[in-house]
Amino acid sequence: MKNTFKSLALVALVAFMGACKDNSKNTVETTTAPAHQHEETVVEEDTRFSVVIEGNDQMQFNTKELKVPVGEPVVLTLKHTGKMAKNVMGHNFVLLQQGADFQSFAEKAAMAAATDYIPASEEGSVLVHTKVIGGGESDTVEFTLTEAGTYEFLCSFPGHYAMMRGVVIAE
Ligand code: CU
């Protein structure tokens, strides 16, 4: 009885393997346990939402609108794609709290050279900011927006905010 069962199982197994062989080799590989585990590991490494924004020598960001997920960590990298030095064409990325006075912040920031153009009196208006960078440099920050909505961003280097501004939409 036991042997009969074993034989049946063996026949079933051989039939199964035969069926697998008939299919493409990929099908067999993706259904094996090790391959599945590997896939899960890769997914875990990629779960943080990341976004890149570029600034150039023409005093421009490459976008005026960034969409990010609400309540999840966002990794933001500012890249200066130009060649000009940071004291001439410096850029930063400053994300303001909702309800912050954009104009007032920008005007005060332009005079705050000693604190990298983030005025100490206005720190409460800032959600997150990169450092000021020059051509070829980049800086990365991480933040989480816990409330859905629209948040203004700017480069606070003197004279840049009129052109270098936009919104982050958390949804
Ligand atoms: Cu700038």
Side-chain angles (χ1 to χ4, degrees), residues 90-92 155 157 160 164:
H91 299 315
N92 64 2
C155 169
F157 194 85
H160 287 200
M164 300 187 75

Side-chain angles (χ1 to χ4, degrees), residues 22-137:
D22 286 344
N23 293 328
S24 73
K25 209 182 169 202
N26 282 343
T27 311
V28 178
E29 279 178 2
T30 51
T31 52
T32 55
H36 185 60
Q37 277 170 6
H38 180 67
E39 265 173 38
E40 278 179 355
T41 307
V42 170
V43 168
E44 264 173 42
E45 283 169 1
D46 287 345
T47 48
R48 291 193 311 174
F49 184 90
S50 63
V51 61
V52 177
I53 181 167
E54 297 176 353
N56 63 19
D57 281 346
Q58 286 72 49
M59 209 192 295
Q60 295 162 329
F61 282 130
N62 67 338
T63 181
K64 293 198 176 295
E65 186 181 294
L66 296 170
K67 285 189 178 175
V68 304
V70 65
E72 286 176 38
V74 173
V75 180
L76 180 141
T77 299
L78 169 67
K79 253 183 168 173
H80 194 315
T81 58
K83 292 194 167 101
M84 292 170 79
K86 114 177 182 177
N87 61 337
V88 183
M89 186 54 71
H91 299 315
N92 64 2
F93 175 92
V94 183
L95 187 60
L96 298 181
Q97 298 272 9
Q98 281 180 307
D101 186 332
F102 183 94
Q103 191 67 26
S104 168
F105 175 85
E107 286 170 11
K108 287 177 188 163
M111 296 185 290
T115 51
D116 220 19
Y117 303 107
I118 304 296
S121 64
E122 293 288 314
E123 270 174 7
S125 301
V126 177
L127 272 167
V128 67
H129 69 89
T130 68
K131 60 185 183 182
V132 176
I133 58 173
E137 297 178 327

Side-chain angles (χ1 to χ4, degrees), residues 134-162:
E137 297 178 327
S138 68
D139 190 32
T140 299
V141 289
E142 183 176 332
F143 59 93
T144 301
L145 297 178
T146 53
E147 279 179 50
T150 303
Y151 301 75
E152 289 188 285
F153 72 80
L154 71 150
C155 169
S156 69
F157 194 85
H160 287 200
Y161 71 88

